[in-house]
Amino acid sequence: QVQLVESGGGLVQAGGSLRLSCAASVSIFSINRMGWYRQAPGKQRELVAIIRNGGSTNYADSVEGRFTISRDNAKNTVYLQMNSLKPEDTAIYYCYLDQLRFNHVYNYWGQGTQITVSS
């Protein structure tokens, strides 16, 4: 069973920065995609940033230019550096990864970490 351990959430003032970490219990090289989703109260879960096995990335339009996703292959860990945070970034952030095995995609989620941005 794949496990994801998140850390780095908390409370920050608008304009501040935070960095999230997500450590996977499997080799990062076995992962198809890994990244972050978020869910604000009363809203659907949405993609924040994803990094693929080959290193390409995708970001939500709302975070483009402010957030950066990166990975440390030796630690099987993905990071999300969040700068210029806004109150609308307040949400529970979930680490996500998927693996492609025998033409089937297996999804895994972290427990979630709260980020609150005060105005």
Side-chain angles (χ1 to χ4, degrees):
Q1 180 71 13
V2 174
Q3 292 186 329
L4 299 169
V5 179
E6 303 156 342
S7 61
L11 173 65
V12 65
Q13 288 189 330
S17 298
L18 284 174
R19 189 177 82 153
L20 298 180
S21 301
C22 178
S25 62
V26 293
S27 170
I28 207 162
F29 296 108
S30 72
I31 296 168
N32 181 42
R33 302 183 309 161
M34 191 168 177
W36 300 89
Y37 284 70
R38 69 185 180 187
Q39 188 166 18
K43 294 188 177 181
Q44 289 188 330
R45 192 171 297 189
E46 63 175 359
L47 173 70
V48 177
I50 282 286
I51 185 165
R52 295 181 181 79
N53 181 275
S56 63
T57 59
N58 279 105
Y59 295 91
D61 289 343
S62 59
V63 308
E64 185 83 53
R66 298 188 296 123
F67 291 11
T68 302
I69 190 169
S70 61
R71 67 186 182 194
D72 184 330
N73 294 339
K75 296 181 179 180
N76 298 330
T77 298
V78 168
Y79 304 96
L80 185 67
Q81 178 65 44
M82 303 179 290
N83 298 328
S84 302
L85 283 161
K86 304 176 181 180
E88 51 263 43
D89 294 318
T90 295
I92 299 174
Y93 284 68
Y94 296 92
C95 183
Y96 165 89
L97 75 80
D98 61 54
Q99 294 179 309
L100 182 62
R101 299 196 299 269
F102 305 107
N103 293 323
H104 187 84
V105 178
Y106 294 84
N107 305 313
Y108 302 94
W109 295 91
Q111 77 279 8
T113 186
Q114 176 71 47
I115 290 179
T116 302
V117 184
S118 63
S119 57

